[in-house]
Amino acid sequence: MRTGIATVCLSGTLEEKMAACARAGFDGIEIFEQDLVTSAMSPEEVRSRAADLGLSLDLYQPFRDFDGVDDEQLSANLRRAAAKFTLMGRLGIDTILACSNVATATRGEDDILAAQLAQLAGLAGDHGVKVAYEALAWGRYVNDFEHAHRLVQAVDHPNLGTCLDSFHILSRDWDTAPIENLEAAKIFFVQVADAPKLSLDVLSLSRHYRVFPGEGQFNLAKFMGHLARTGYDGPVSLEIFNDVFRQSDVTRTAVDAMRSLVWLQEQGAAWLASAGETERLPLRMATLPRVPEPTGFNFAEVKAASTPAVETLLGQLGFTSEGRHRTKDVQLWTMGQARVVINEAAPEGAEPAISALGFDVENPLLASSRAQQLLAPVVPRKSQADEEVFQGIAAPDSTEIFLCQGSADGTAAWTSEFGPGAAGRGGRRPGAVIDHVNLAQPWQHFDEAVLFYTSALALEPQPFAEVPSPTGLVRSQVMDTSNRGVRLVLNLAPLIQQGDGVHKSYQEHIAFAVDDLVATARAARKRGLKFLDIPENYYQDLAARFDLEPDFLDTLRELNLLYDRDADGEFLHFYTATVGSVFFEMVERRGGYDGYGAPNAPVRHAVQYGQRHSSP
Ligand SMILES: O=C(O)c1ccc(O)c(O)c1
Ligand SMILES: [Mg+2]
């Protein structure tokens, strides 16, 4: 499949955008008019720059508000078109995108629209270029792809075809199956975009919230399947208008973009296979090594220059020190099946932070190969000849993800590299497991992280939530596996105003599940654990919301426990104080409770905020 991207997706100058697209491996690009108009490069320079970079210039866009106008406006529009067709000759671009009129159209009859488009096609023919007519979802008279295609067929001119853009179809919840009825030879160009489900008018959604495929909620696998079935084999190009991408690092965004097209091809091919398609279709969508979802967390790692504070917290929670690694500056702590590695190889002064996660997978080498084909950066980890070699990749927030060999009994072979007694520990003995890990995502990388964990690690994004905090709503995105062996919660790291400056408050946590939270909390308190102090108002509210036994409520209050209940079960949990940017959570899931105590998140945020602001 020929991959493409519109320059409007990226930040920076046209030169920077072109270089980033080439580096990320795109076949071609769409030149967005604004990028050319504001560029210091002449059209000829753009053309030769693209040739040097090995990028084809596949589309010039957009040409606006041509159709459905009165006669006077039509001549002006044709004059404007002629100028653009001449420019395309200088750029060496053979196709221009004309979007359906959103502003100046006064005449919506199909025969008038077709007659005007016929004139445009004739003029394009004279210049040796083609016009791809696109129905914008908010077009005045033409706003659906089938209508645009009917007009193109009515005109029946070799220089007029349509441009399909997944956004304009899926943002309106239309079925994509009728795409199969389109004539492939009349599809001149295809744009793909994803978007979250927001109740917003389509224009605002389109201009600000489009995201790369896999980062939103559109069914693009199905779109690609139907598209492939038409016989289309031209470029599939990303056209993402997004306020965040347009101010983030261009190189990085281009890689995120390319990852989305690698993933999209696999999804499209998988959709076709599941729909029973056996024919080899012209749109050749590349596949990837298929890997099953991870079965669980193998370990979590906290890195710090000075580790006593973390050791103290773990000890108070009931973890046992399993000694130090034979050759590395790391310690292993376990509680039941939960393993926490404390990595001391941190730069001087580095505060404790979550640095790595290990996922149990069926085949680490295959999983790593898949991740690398999805452009995940590899992280090297030194190991001696007789030590387990970890396959590591870097997540967008630079958390290191290690793909570990899972085992049926929950043990990990690498633990034998630690002090005596560690081997065999941390197996499936009663005690604890890592329930979930909550990672704060920098605002520029949130969508990228969703795609990364979806595509490279087979986690499923759940609908995102917004949690009230003292500094605004915190976007919270659960990503998990179907058996809930791995649960990751991505939170948008809030920006905190402190004094004159704004800085990011990074608080991330590892949560462990135990069978008896009350007993765990009592034992931890005996060992001197400082709990996150929950205000009395919270317990009054709990009593109002749930009809709890007074004794049980007293126990919750006494131990600073939080509580939630839904139709499936109950949830008890507590938090430790924060060291560096890390804190820990202990949870008990009763019955089929599958959530994370979301109603309690605001009180946690508020108490942590209060602590930050009262500490010197
Ligand atoms: O929002 C727009 O104006 C616009 C322009 C060009 C496109 O291809 C498109 O899908 C939208
Ligand atoms: Mg478009």
Side-chain angles (χ1 to χ4, degrees):
M1 188 181 93
R2 283 189 54 77
T3 56
I5 180 168
T7 54
V8 72
C9 303
L10 303 168
S11 68
T13 63
L14 185 55
E15 287 96 319
E16 289 167 342
K17 295 177 187 212
M18 290 172 74
C21 294
R23 222 173 303 144
F26 283 95
D27 296 315
I29 58 173
E30 305 174 29
I31 298 281
F32 206 72
E33 184 156 76
Q34 279 297 310
D35 285 313
L36 181 81
V37 170
T38 60
S39 175
M41 283 191 286
S42 71
E44 289 77 11
E45 282 167 345
V46 173
R47 180 182 193 158
S48 71
R49 174 75 59 111
D52 290 347
L53 290 167
L55 283 176
S56 70
L57 298 178
D58 291 330
L59 189 80
Y60 185 82
Q61 75 131 328
F63 189 71
R64 296 188 189 277
D65 299 326
F66 172 81
D67 51 320
V69 295
D70 61 33
D71 291 342
E72 193 184 331
Q73 187 65 49
L74 181 65
S75 1
N77 287 354
L78 285 165
R79 196 194 63 82
R80 184 161 57 92
K84 295 302 167 188
F85 295 164
T86 303
L87 168 65
M88 288 163 67
R90 296 175 62 194
L91 285 162
I93 299 182
D94 70 0
T95 307
I96 188 168
L97 180 147
C99 17
S100 60
N101 199 327
V102 300
T104 57
T106 51
R107 309 162 79 176
E109 300 85 348
D110 275 4
D111 54 345
I112 290 172
L113 292 167
Q116 296 187 349
L117 287 169
Q119 288 200 54
L120 185 65
L123 186 64
D126 296 342
H127 286 79
V129 299
K130 299 184 292 179
V131 176
Y133 181 57
E134 177 192 42
L136 297 191
W138 55 95
R140 175 81 175 85
Y141 293 111
V142 180
N143 46 41
D144 108 52
F145 69 102
E146 292 181 277
H147 189 187
H149 186 260
R150 277 199 307 278
L151 291 170
V152 163
Q153 283 193 312
V155 173
D156 191 23
H157 190 288
N159 296 72
L160 183 72
T162 62
C163 168
L164 284 184
D165 178 336
S166 66
F167 180 86
H168 300 294
I169 303 171
L170 292 166
S171 63
R172 307 198 54 183
D173 272 330
W174 283 332
D175 187 8
T176 44
I179 289 175
E180 288 191 24
N181 305 327
L182 307 187
E183 193 185 333
K186 294 288 183 208
I187 306 175
F188 282 3
F189 204 78
V190 172
Q191 297 173 321
V192 282
D194 203 342
K197 284 234 181 308
L198 298 175
S199 42
L200 203 65
D201 65 284
V202 281
L203 171 60
S204 306
L205 187 68
S206 179
R207 292 273 173 86
H208 303 282
Y209 296 98
R210 289 189 186 206
V211 282
F212 295 121
E215 298 176 352
Q217 286 164 281
F218 289 170
N219 188 346
L220 289 168
K222 185 172 184 289
F223 172 88
M224 292 301 291
H226 292 307
L227 175 68
R229 278 186 168 159
T230 64
Y232 176 81
D233 68 349
V236 174
S237 183
L238 298 160
E239 187 196 33
I240 314 299
F241 304 89
N242 181 295
D243 298 341
V244 173
F245 298 161
R246 288 183 73 172
Q247 50 183 311
S248 328
D249 178 77
V250 64
T251 305
R252 202 172 158 146
T253 308
V255 172
D256 180 27
M258 191 67 212
R259 176 178 301 135
S260 78
L261 280 189
V262 173
W263 177 82
L264 182 64
Q265 292 183 64
E266 177 199 45
Q267 297 300 302
W271 186 89
L272 281 171
S274 73
E277 186 62 56
T278 51
E279 213 183 309
R280 206 173 151 83
L281 300 167
L283 187 71
R284 302 266 295 281
M285 292 184 280
T287 56
L288 293 169
R290 298 293 290 272
V291 299
E293 58 184 22
T295 52
F297 285 106
N298 191 289
F299 69 92
E301 180 186 276
V302 175
K303 201 181 220 175
S306 162
T307 60
V310 181
E311 292 167 36
T312 302
L313 270 187
L314 289 175
Q316 289 169 336
L317 283 172
F319 275 73
T320 309
S321 165
E322 306 284 5
R324 308 178 63 82
H325 191 268
R326 289 204 298 253
T327 61
K328 297 173 194 158
D329 287 335
V330 298
Q331 308 173 31
L332 173 62
W333 289 70
T334 67
M335 181 173 179
Q337 203 183 321
R339 289 179 283 268
V340 175
V341 168
I342 303 180
N343 187 338
E344 299 167 353
E348 205 182 306
E351 296 266 22
I354 296 176
S355 48
L357 298 176
F359 287 6
D360 279 329
V361 301
E362 190 180 281
N363 184 335
L365 276 174
L366 201 65
S368 168
S369 157
R370 176 185 168 90
Q372 288 175 50
Q373 290 179 54
L374 285 156
L375 310 176
V378 172
V379 299
R381 178 152 281 205
K382 281 201 222 88
S383 56
Q384 308 287 326
D386 57 347
E387 290 168 6
E388 181 157 332
V389 179
F390 282 122
Q391 303 293 325
I393 51 175
D397 67 351
S398 59
T399 302
E400 297 180 350
I401 304 293
F402 291 98
L403 304 159
C404 307
Q405 185 64 63
S407 71
D409 65 359
T411 56
W414 58 266
T415 55
S416 67
E417 294 163 20
F418 285 77
R425 296 250 184 105
R428 261 186 231 296
R429 38 181 194 168
V433 293
I434 296 179
D435 182 85
H436 64 273
V437 176
N438 183 306
L439 297 175
Q441 301 299 306
W443 62 273
Q444 320 90 301
H445 307 321
F446 200 100
D447 297 303
E448 183 188 347
V450 170
L451 175 61
F452 172 86
Y453 288 110
T454 302
S455 62
L457 289 152
L459 301 189
E460 182 91 31
Q462 303 303 322
F464 70 85
E466 286 173 334
V467 177
S469 89
T471 51
L473 292 180
V474 175
R475 179 171 161 196
S476 175
Q477 169 83 64
V478 172
M479 313 234 12
D480 58 13
T481 55
S482 56
N483 65 359
R484 307 292 186 264
V486 171
R487 300 167 179 266
L488 217 54
V489 184
L490 307 181
N491 273 7
L492 194 76
L495 294 169
I496 306 282
Q497 188 83 45
Q498 252 183 7
D500 292 338
V502 171
H503 81 107
K504 206 161 43 202
S505 101
Y506 243 116
Q507 295 211 43
E508 308 188 309
H509 71 272
I510 305 167
F512 309 101
V514 293
D515 296 332
D516 184 343
L517 191 83
V518 172
T520 303
R522 283 200 199 287
R525 190 168 64 172
K526 274 214 193 88
R527 296 185 205 102
L529 181 79
K530 272 192 64 188
F531 293 76
L532 198 65
D533 243 326
I534 305 303
E536 169 59 21
N537 291 346
Y538 169 79
Y539 295 101
Q540 307 259 334
D541 180 57
L542 261 194
R545 287 194 291 137
F546 303 113
D547 189 14
L548 298 174
E549 290 292 331
D551 283 357
F552 181 59
L553 190 64
D554 283 344
T555 303
L556 296 177
R557 182 187 282 122
E558 174 204 339
L559 293 166
N560 282 294
L561 304 186
L562 299 158
Y563 177 83
D564 189 31
R565 184 165 78 200
D566 64 17
D568 301 315
E570 295 170 291
F571 191 62
L572 280 73
H573 56 147
F574 70 82
Y575 298 99
T576 69
T578 304
V579 292
S581 61
V582 194
F583 62 98
F584 299 105
E585 179 184 8
M586 280 280 172
V587 314
E588 178 188 335
R589 295 179 180 278
R590 292 182 177 173
Y593 186 93
D594 198 29
Y596 300 84
N600 301 328
V603 72
R604 192 252 294 169
H605 283 295
V607 175
Q608 288 177 331
Y609 175 89
Q611 285 190 340
R612 277 198 305 275
H613 285 247
S614 64
S615 57

